Amino acid sequence: MTRLRYLLILIALGVFAILPVFLSGNLLNAIIKMMISALFALAFTLAMGQAGMLSFGHAAYYGLGAFAAVHAMRFVEAGAFSFPTPLIPLAGAAVGFLFGLLFGWFATQRSGVYFSMVTLALAELLYTLAPTWNSLFGGESGISTIRGASWGISFGDDAHVYYLTLFWVTLATWCLWAFTRTPLGRLALALRDNEHRVRFLGFNTHMARTLIFALSCLFTGVAGALLAIATEAANYTAFSSKASADVVLQTFIGGAGTFFGPALGAASMTFFARVTSDLTRSWLLYQGLLFVLVMLFVPDGIGGLIAEHSKKVKKGGYKALVLPYLLCLVTGLLLLAGVVFLVESTHILLSDGYIAKTKSSGGAAVPFSFFGQDFNPRSWVTWSIPIGLLLAGAALMPAAMKVTGRAWLHATQSAPAQGETA
Amino acid sequence: MTAIAPAPTASAGSGSDVQIPSSPVLELRDLRKSFGETKIIRGVNLAVKRGERHALIGPNGAGKSTLFNLISGHYVPTSGEVVLNGKQIGGLQPHVINRLGLSRSFQITNLFPRLSVAENLRISVMGQHGYRFSMFRPVAGLTAVTAEVDQFLEKIRLTRRRDDNVGDLAYSEQRALEIGMSLATNPEILLLDEPTAGMSLEETAYMVELIRTVTEGKTLLVVEHDMSVVFGLCDQISVLVYGEVIATGEPAAVRNNPKVQEAYLGEEVAT
Amino acid sequence: MEYLVVSTLNGVVHGLLLFMVSAGLTLIFGMMGVLNFSHAWFYMLGAYIGFTCTRTIGFWPGIILAPLLVGALGVFVERYMLRRVHKYGHAHELLLTFGLAFIIEEVIKLFYGDFPVSYQMPSYMRFAAFTIFDTNYPFYRLFIGGVAGLIFVGLYLLLTRTRIGIIVRAATFRPTTVEALGHNLPVIFMGVFAAGAALAGLAGAVAGAFFPTSPNMATDFGTLVFVVTVVGGLGSVEGALIASLMIGLFISFSVGLNWALADLFGIVGLGPWAQAFGGILTLKLSTIANSMPFLLMLFILLVRPAGLMGDRQ
Ligand SMILES: Nc1ncnc2c1ncn2[C@@H]1O[C@H](COP(=O)(O)OP(=O)(O)OP(=O)(O)O)[C@@H](O)[C@H]1O
Ligand SMILES: [Mg+2]
C-alpha cells in the first residue's frame, strides 16, 4: 500500500516535470496558480485541520508573503543587494513566520469563534490599512517588479517560473507532510481534540498553538511569495476577507480532515474559476451553488469522500456502485442543464443589446440564440426545455438517492465486520 | 526515573514504614475560593504525606472537584496557599504544576477522542521525555517513548486496543486510559477525581485493583463516593462538607467520628 | 462647533444604520451562535425588494414586503440548510452562508445589473427636517433613526420581557435539557433566525432608499456587522447599539481629523524624527478611519472578550 503510494507520487512528479513540454503559456500559468493555491490550502490546513484553529484571516500572511517577495525583488532590481530569484520565497517564509508569531500570539489567547474573530480583525486591519500606506504597500495600485535573472536562468520564460513553483511547492508539501509525523505535529491533533487536557499534561498550550499557527503562516508566506514571483506584483486585495474565505472554502471542499484533500480542493476550485470565468459572467453564481451543495451533501469534502471509499468499499464492491453513480451523474447533469439554461437565457434577455433589439423591432418577439440554437422567448416551447430538465432531474433524484444508498450498503457490507476484527 | 520503577518506600496500605521523613508532598493552607459572592471552598487545611493514599469524600456539591481544580491550576485561589514539596503553586498555570510533579484525572472523561489509544498515551509520555515542541524528528524514531507507551498500555491492560480510536472504547476502558494518561506524565502525586463513577460492581472492583497496581509507590489523592472503594484503597480519609474539611484521619477513626457520622456517613456506617 | 455638531449628527445616523443592519445578527450570531456570513446580503436583498416594490406597488408596501420575504428566505435557509450542517461545526455554517452570499449577489446582478439602481424614497418624504449651519438636514435621516429606535425597543422588550432570549441562550449550551422542559427548539431556532433575517430585510428596504442601492452594498457591511456584534457583546442588543454608535461617531469624526501618530511624537519633541520615519507614523487619522472598527474589535477581543455589554464569555 505504502509502496503503491510512493509510486503514485513519483509518477505524479514525473508528469508535472514534463508538463511544460506540452503546455502553452496560458495553461502553464493556470497550473502555476493551481499549485500555489494548493500550497496555500495545505498550509492553512496545518492550523485548521490539524490544530483546529479556524483562521478567518489567513490572507494576511499570504499577502504579507507576497509583499515581502516583491520588496525583496525590488531591492535586487535596484541593486541594493543581490539575492538569487529562486530563493525569494524564503523572504515570504520569514515574514510569514514572524507575523504568524506576533499575530498568532494574540489570536491564540482565544479559542473557538473568538479566535476566528481575532484573526479576521487582524486581516481586515491590514486590508484597510494597506491602501493608505503608500511606501509599504504601494497604495491602491500595489507594487510591481520584475524577476531578475540568476544562476544563469533568465526567469523570463513561463517554464522557468513553473519549475521554480513546482520545486517550492513540492518541498513545502513534503515539509508539511513530515511535520504531521513529528511530536509537535501529533500535539497539534491533540490540541484540536481537547486543548484543555493538553494543558494538564505539562504542555504550555498557548506557546504550542502560537508556534503551530506561525508555522502555518510560514508556508502561507511561501505561497504568497510564489504568487508574487509568478505575477511580478502584489496588491492590497491579497488581504481581503474574500481571499481569506476562499482558502477556507477550498480547504473544506477538498476535505479538511485529510492531508491531500485541501490541495485537491484548492487546485480544482482554482481551475473551476479559471474555466468558468471565461465562459460566463455568472460564474460566481455557479461557484456559490457549488459551495452550498458541497457543504450540504459532501460535508467531508472530496478528500473525505475518497478516504471513505478506500476505507470502506470492499474488494469488487465498486462494480455495484458504477450504475448508481451514473444515475446520480445523469440527475445532476439534468438539473445543472436546467439551471444553466435559465441563468444564461436571463442574462441574454436582460442584456442592453437584446433590449435595444426588441425596441427597434417594435415589440415583436426577437429570438435569442444560445448554444448555436435560436429560441423564441415568447413561446412556451422555449421555457418548457429548462423546466422539463429541472422536473426530470427532480423526479430522478429520490430514485437515484435510494439506489445509491442501497448500492453503498452492498459495496461496504463486510466492512464493519472487518473494522471490528482489526 | 521512569514511572515503572517502584519506589522502595511505600507498600500499599501502610503509611507507617515510610522512610523519607513524613514531610507532606501536598499541603493546603487556609485555601479559599469564591465564585462571585458564593463561597465554595471556605478555608481548607489539608496535608498529604509522601506515599499516602488519601481519600477525599463528601456529599455532592461539597466542592471536591473545585478543590482539585484549585490544586491543579485550573482555578486561581481566592486566598490561601497550595504547597507542593515546599513550593507555593496556587495560581500557577496547569502545565507548570504538572511539570512540578502533580498530575490529575478528570471526573468527566477528558481524552483525545479522535486519536488512538497509543497516541493519547504518547502525548503524555512525549512531554515527559522533553519532546514538547520538537519538530525535526518523526515520532516513529523516538524508541524510548514508544517503549514507554507500550509499558503503560500493558499496565492499564489496553494493549489489545492499542490502535483503536479512543472514541470507540468502552466506558470503563476510557476511564482506565484517563488514569493512564495522568500517570504517564510521571507525577509524584496523583489526583484522581471519582475514578469509578458510573461503573458496574465488577468494573469497580477491576478498577480498584488496577489503580492499586498502577499507582504503586505514588502518593495518591482520590475523590470517591463509593465507600467500599475508599476503605479498600486508602489509608487516610478527609471529609469535605460545604467547602470545609470536618475530619481527617485513618479510616477507622473517621468512621467513628460523630461529626462525620452526623454530617455525611450517617446510617451507612452505623450498621 | 459646526464641525462638532455636523459630525455628531452624521455619526449618529451612520451608527443607527449600522445598528439596523447588525440587529438581526445579534440574534443569529450573538444568541444562536450561528456564523451567518450572508447577513449583510440579506440586507442588500431587502433593499432590492424595496426598489422593486417602489417601481410596482409602491414604497410602503415594499417596507412591509421586504422583511416578510427576507424572513421567509431565512426560514428556508435555516430549515433546509443550516440545520443540516450545524453538527459539523462553525466552519460549515460559515462556508454555507458564504456560498449563499455569492448566490444572492449574483442573482441580483443578473436581474438588476452591476450598477447602482435608483431606489428613491417617496417625494413627500424628501424635505429638510431642520437647517443647521446652512446645511439642510434631511427628514429621511430622522426616519432611519426612528426605525432603528423602534427595532431597538422591540428587540429589547422581546429579549427581556419574554423568555425567548433565555430559552435560546440555554438551548445553545444544553439543547436536551431545554427540550426536556417542553420547548420546541427547532421551531424556536427557525423563528429567531427568520426574525434576524427579516430585520436585515427591513433595514435594507429603509436604508436603501437613502443610501446607494448597488450590488456592492453588502460587501461594505459584510464583516462590519460582525464587529458590531462582537464589540457589543454576543447577544446583547444594548451592546450592539452602543457599539454601532461608537463606530459611527468614530468614523465620522476621524474623517475630518488630520492627526497622525507623528503628532504625538511631536509633543515629546520627536516630531521631525517621526516625520522622517514615515510609514505608519505619518498616516493620517482620516485615511485610516476604515481600520478603526477592526482596531476596536481587536482591542475588545483581547481585553474584554465578552464585549461591552456581554455578561460572560
Ligand atoms: N465555575 C463555577 N462557577 C460557579 N459555581 C461553581 C463553579 N464550579 C463549581 N461551582 C459550584 O461549586 C459547588 C461545588 O462543586 P464541585 O463540582 O466542586 O462539587 P463536588 O464536590 O465535586 O460534587 P460532585 O460529587 O457532584 O462531583 C457546586 O455547587 C457548583 O455549582
Ligand atoms: Mg466533582
Side-chain angles (χ1 to χ4, degrees):
Chain A
M1 184 63 214
T2 42
R3 196 172 295 168
L4 181 69
R5 195 173 294 172
Y6 283 122
L7 198 68
L8 279 177
I9 290 172
L10 272 181
I11 292 173
L13 275 179
V15 170
F16 272 112
I18 55 168
L19 269 184
V21 181
F22 304 105
L23 293 181
S24 70
N26 210 351
L27 262 177
L28 212 54
N29 244 315
I31 294 180
I32 291 174
K33 297 280 160 55
M34 284 161 69
M35 290 196 291
I36 293 173
S37 56
L39 175 58
F40 188 8
L42 284 174
F44 171 78
T45 310
L46 174 58
M48 170 60 223
Q50 287 160 37
M53 294 184 272
L54 176 53
S55 163
F56 285 175
H58 244 51
Y61 317 96
Y62 191 55
L64 284 170
F67 275 104
V70 166
H71 279 294
M73 281 153 78
R74 276 170 70 98
F75 278 129
V76 173
E77 200 186 327
F81 58 80
S82 86
F83 193 77
T85 303
L87 296 185
I88 291 286
L90 289 178
V95 169
F97 184 67
L98 284 179
F99 277 87
L101 275 183
L102 179 71
F103 288 4
W105 190 83
F106 288 109
T108 52
Q109 304 202 339
R110 302 276 165 255
S111 47
V113 192
Y114 289 89
F115 170 85
S116 307
M117 289 291 143
V118 177
T119 50
L120 173 77
L122 286 164
E124 287 288 287
L125 210 54
L126 272 175
Y127 178 65
T128 48
L129 216 53
T132 65
W133 194 339
N134 273 309
S135 52
L136 205 56
F137 299 111
E140 299 211 353
S141 51
I143 309 180
S144 53
T145 174
I146 46 167
R147 294 183 289 265
S150 40
W151 295 351
I153 309 167
S154 72
F155 288 104
D157 192 344
D158 283 331
H160 297 166
V161 182
Y162 174 85
Y163 283 116
L164 177 91
T165 313
L166 180 63
F167 169 78
W168 277 100
V169 171
T170 311
L171 179 70
T173 305
W174 181 81
C175 288
L176 284 164
W177 181 79
F179 175 80
T180 60
R181 315 234 140 177
T182 66
L184 188 59
R186 302 324 285 179
L187 185 66
L189 296 177
L191 285 167
R192 173 200 66 190
D193 269 17
N194 189 348
E195 185 201 339
H196 182 246
R197 182 60 191 257
V198 174
R199 232 181 273 160
F200 289 90
L201 297 175
F203 294 89
N204 183 342
T205 52
H206 181 217
M207 279 252 279
R209 292 175 77 215
T210 306
L211 190 58
I212 292 166
F213 185 78
L215 285 172
S216 161
C217 296
L218 184 152
F219 291 103
T220 305
V222 172
L226 288 173
L227 181 76
I229 293 172
T231 58
E232 303 186 299
N235 183 286
Y236 81 100
T237 50
F239 296 122
S240 73
S241 60
K242 274 226 159 85
S244 288
D246 268 348
V247 70
V248 187
L249 284 164
Q250 294 170 348
T251 300
F252 276 81
I253 284 183
T258 57
F259 182 81
F260 280 109
L264 215 59
S268 47
M269 286 318 292
T270 311
F271 185 73
F272 175 88
R274 186 109 182 175
V275 172
T276 50
S277 64
D278 283 347
L279 289 177
T280 162
R281 280 178 45 206
S282 284
W283 68 280
L284 283 171
L285 176 61
Y286 299 116
Q287 191 180 296
L289 278 171
L290 188 70
F291 289 160
V292 170
L293 291 176
V294 170
M295 286 305 119
L296 284 177
F297 298 108
V298 201
D300 291 329
I302 309 170
L305 208 61
I306 296 175
E308 187 88 351
H309 276 81
S310 70
K311 215 189 303 169
K312 293 214 178 132
V313 175
K314 63 185 179 192
K315 247 206 182 110
Y318 286 106
K319 244 180 262 159
L321 287 172
V322 172
L323 274 178
Y325 281 4
L326 266 178
L327 188 61
C328 288
L329 188 71
V330 170
T331 312
L333 284 177
L334 283 173
L335 291 171
L336 179 70
V339 171
V340 169
F341 190 105
L342 283 180
V343 170
E344 298 307 323
S345 54
T346 312
H347 243 312
I348 298 172
L349 291 176
L350 293 177
S351 68
D352 292 343
Y354 183 82
I355 291 170
K357 257 197 250 165
T358 40
K359 280 213 178 107
S360 61
S361 74
V366 180
F368 65 98
S369 66
F370 181 45
F371 279 116
Q373 201 80 39
D374 276 353
F375 294 99
N376 179 356
R378 303 238 178 115
S379 148
W380 63 270
V381 181
T382 304
W383 300 111
S384 65
I385 297 173
I387 290 169
L389 285 168
L390 288 175
L391 283 180
L396 268 182
M397 193 141 81
M401 280 168 92
K402 205 163 145 198
V403 172
T404 312
R406 213 179 297 146
W408 177 252
L409 275 185
H410 254 289
T412 59
Q413 207 126 62
S414 64
Q418 235 170 37
E420 267 166 28
T421 52
Chain B
M1 264 284 281
T2 59
I4 318 98
T9 51
S11 57
S14 61
S16 52
D17 55 11
V18 174
Q19 285 154 12
I20 303 167
S22 54
S23 66
V25 181
L26 179 72
E27 202 180 349
L28 311 181
R29 294 182 191 145
D30 194 27
L31 195 63
R32 288 165 194 276
K33 178 70 184 176
S34 311
F35 293 109
E37 289 298 297
T38 19
K39 293 178 184 146
I40 302 296
I41 302 294
R42 317 154 172 239
V44 165
N45 288 292
L46 188 74
V48 182
K49 299 202 191 77
R50 196 170 304 278
E52 195 170 86
R53 287 151 183 278
H54 201 124
L56 186 66
I57 62 174
N60 287 110
K64 304 178 296 291
S65 296
T66 306
L67 203 60
F68 269 25
N69 283 334
L70 287 171
I71 299 171
S72 60
H74 187 45
Y75 292 151
V76 178
T78 308
S79 71
E81 288 185 342
V82 181
V83 180
L84 180 69
N85 281 327
K87 190 175 175 344
Q88 219 290 96
I89 58 163
L92 292 183
Q93 297 251 38
H95 69 268
V96 180
I97 292 176
N98 179 274
R99 285 192 225 165
L100 288 171
L102 184 147
S103 184
R104 69 168 293 187
S105 75
F106 290 82
Q107 183 172 354
I108 296 165
T109 307
N110 204 343
L111 301 164
F112 307 122
R114 283 188 282 175
L115 302 190
S116 73
V117 175
E119 282 187 295
N120 267 263
L121 277 171
R122 185 160 61 199
I123 300 289
S124 291
V125 175
M126 207 167 79
Q128 201 46 44
H129 282 248
Y131 299 112
R132 289 203 177 85
F133 300 147
S134 130
M135 53 179 154
F136 295 109
R137 46 193 301 187
V139 278
L142 311 175
T143 42
V145 171
T146 312
E148 203 172 315
V149 166
D150 286 337
Q151 276 170 342
F152 276 110
L153 279 171
E154 193 75 31
K155 276 183 142 186
I156 57 173
R157 302 169 204 171
L158 287 179
T159 308
R160 208 170 41 89
R161 313 222 52 169
R162 191 178 198 286
D163 299 315
D164 291 352
N165 261 11
V166 163
D168 300 336
L169 293 187
Y171 176 69
S172 61
E173 291 174 319
Q174 290 186 349
R175 295 303 296 174
L177 181 59
E178 174 79 40
I179 293 174
M181 298 257 297
S182 311
L183 197 66
T185 64
N186 192 20
E188 211 172 326
I189 175 167
L190 188 64
L191 276 55
L192 302 179
D193 198 348
E194 302 202 21
T196 68
M199 289 193 176
S200 69
L201 267 180
E202 299 113 81
E203 285 172 335
T204 304
Y206 174 84
M207 195 53 132
V208 170
E209 218 263 304
L210 187 84
I211 294 172
R212 207 200 308 275
T213 49
V214 296
T215 61
E216 191 101 346
K218 301 264 172 205
T219 313
L220 207 59
L221 181 62
V222 193
V223 167
E224 188 51 71
H225 278 296
D226 189 330
M227 285 308 134
S228 64
V229 173
V230 171
F231 291 126
L233 192 66
C234 300
D235 45 34
Q236 283 282 315
I237 297 180
S238 290
V239 185
L240 189 75
V241 178
Y242 278 120
E244 280 173 294
V245 174
I246 59 164
T248 298
E250 309 223 326
V254 170
R255 196 196 289 252
N256 296 324
N257 184 325
K259 257 201 326 200
V260 176
Q261 293 202 350
E262 181 198 335
Y264 178 60
L265 296 175
E267 319 92 68
E268 198 179 326
V269 183
T271 54
Chain C
M1 185 62 199
E2 172 178 354
Y3 172 73
L4 210 67
V5 173
V6 172
S7 290
T8 310
L9 278 174
N10 287 341
V12 167
V13 169
H14 189 86
L16 287 174
L17 168 68
L18 196 52
F19 171 74
M20 250 191 335
V21 185
S22 341
L25 198 67
T26 308
L27 295 177
I28 294 172
F29 177 53
M31 281 176 48
M32 296 167 54
V34 173
L35 273 172
N36 177 20
F37 192 86
S38 56
H39 192 75
W41 279 261
F42 286 172
Y43 158 75
M44 173 160 80
L45 200 58
Y48 274 91
I49 291 174
F51 166 69
T52 315
C53 288
T54 45
R55 286 283 167 97
T56 48
I57 50 178
F59 175 77
W60 291 103
I63 295 283
I64 294 166
L65 217 53
L68 288 181
L69 289 180
V70 179
L73 176 70
V75 168
F76 177 79
V77 169
E78 205 281 335
R79 173 71 185 76
Y80 294 102
M81 298 180 157
L82 282 168
R83 197 177 294 176
R84 294 185 57 150
V85 304
H86 188 72
K87 55 178 177 287
Y88 301 111
H90 283 310
H92 282 73
E93 282 166 7
L94 178 87
L95 300 183
L96 183 85
T97 50
F98 205 79
L100 212 58
F102 272 123
I103 295 176
I104 295 175
E105 185 168 327
E106 290 304 314
V107 168
I108 281 176
K109 279 188 187 162
L110 186 61
F111 284 100
Y112 298 92
D114 293 353
F115 301 104
V117 294
S118 115
Y119 176 20
Q120 299 291 341
M121 65 197 89
S123 51
Y124 55 83
M125 292 179 88
R126 191 190 305 278
F127 61 91
F130 51 84
T131 306
I132 191 162
F133 299 113
D134 304 331
T135 326
N136 287 331
Y137 201 79
F139 162 77
Y140 202 82
R141 290 194 163 206
L142 294 186
F143 179 67
I144 292 178
V147 174
L150 276 181
I151 291 180
F152 174 75
V153 173
L155 268 186
Y156 186 80
L157 290 181
L158 183 76
L159 294 184
T160 53
R161 292 296 140 84
T162 70
R163 302 188 42 218
I164 299 269
I166 302 168
I167 294 171
V168 172
R169 242 176 277 198
T172 47
F173 294 112
R174 298 232 183 293
T176 40
T177 318
V178 175
E179 250 179 342
L181 290 174
H183 298 293
N184 189 344
L185 270 194
V187 170
I188 293 179
F189 266 59
M190 194 163 78
V192 173
F193 192 92
L199 284 178
L202 176 65
V206 171
F210 187 79
F211 299 99
T213 296
S214 79
N216 296 328
M217 67 192 284
T219 319
D220 296 342
F221 279 108
T223 47
L224 211 52
V225 286
F226 281 96
V227 176
V228 170
T229 324
V230 169
V231 169
L234 297 188
S236 160
V237 188
E238 312 96 282
L241 180 65
I242 296 173
S244 307
L245 289 175
M246 266 172 73
I247 292 172
L249 287 170
F250 226 97
I251 291 180
S252 96
F253 271 97
S254 55
V255 162
L257 295 177
N258 282 327
W259 297 340
L261 272 180
D263 301 338
L264 263 186
F265 284 87
I267 297 171
V268 291
L270 284 173
W273 171 80
Q275 293 290 349
F277 184 84
I280 198 160
L281 295 183
T282 48
L283 283 183
K284 301 252 188 300
L285 194 56
S286 52
T287 55
I288 58 167
N290 287 331
S291 315
M292 283 303 163
F294 299 105
L295 215 56
L296 182 67
M297 163 146 117
L298 204 57
F299 182 75
I300 288 283
L301 278 169
L302 295 176
V303 177
R304 194 183 151 79
L308 292 175
M309 303 296 282
D311 19 291
R312 284 179 69 222
Q313 190 180 339

